[in-house]
Amino acid sequence: MRARRNPRRPRRRTWSSRACGRAYGRKRWNMTERVLNRLARLNRTLVFLMAAVAVFAGLLLPGIVGAAVLLLLAAGLIWVLSRTWAVTPMPMRVIRVLILTLLLVAAAYKAS
């Protein structure tokens, strides 16, 4: 538990927080790492259900609108795959690429 600081005595700041982070070896995260960490903290069931709703919406929406939703989902999946490819086991890679291919085929079918 952290000790409380004395409210009468202001905290002394000698360096900026950015300089302190570099000085003590803290890692500055880029946006990709922040988004992946936020995704990792989400409830998996909720993420699955939201993705399923988005896929069904893309399949049910007419024409180019449905294709655009499916292409947005495919773009998000491609981004996540590119970030996690090195740590994904080979059987999972095959399944994910197969799902991505089916999603792109469905988007192409909806667009035509």
Side-chain angles (χ1 to χ4, degrees):
M1 196 157 123
R2 289 176 49 184
R4 290 188 172 186
R5 78 177 168 85
N6 188 350
R8 285 181 258 156
R9 196 167 113 195
R11 203 164 76 181
R12 190 170 37 150
R13 295 181 186 219
T14 55
W15 292 353
S16 70
S17 60
R18 183 176 294 167
C20 288
R22 273 191 244 123
Y24 294 116
R26 285 191 201 151
K27 182 179 173 185
R28 290 191 60 201
W29 290 4
N30 61 15
M31 191 168 117
T32 299
E33 291 170 336
R34 286 192 306 248
V35 170
L36 286 175
N37 281 333
R38 187 170 288 179
L39 282 175
R41 284 185 272 139
L42 292 176
N43 183 357
R44 290 183 180 186
T45 306
L46 181 65
V47 171
F48 173 77
L49 291 175
M50 293 301 289
V53 166
V55 168
F56 288 132
L59 291 174
L60 294 177
L61 287 171
I64 197 74
V65 176
V69 170
L70 293 175
L71 286 175
L72 283 174
L73 284 171
L77 183 59
I78 289 171
W79 178 76
V80 170
L81 278 174
S82 69
R83 299 285 104 200
T84 60
W85 190 261
V87 295
T88 306
M90 185 55 81
M92 288 298 290
R93 288 181 189 177
V94 172
I95 292 171
R96 290 178 182 185
V97 169
L98 184 71
I99 291 171
L100 177 63
T101 305
L102 290 173
L103 195 59
L104 289 173
V105 167
Y109 180 73
K110 289 287 288 186
S112 63

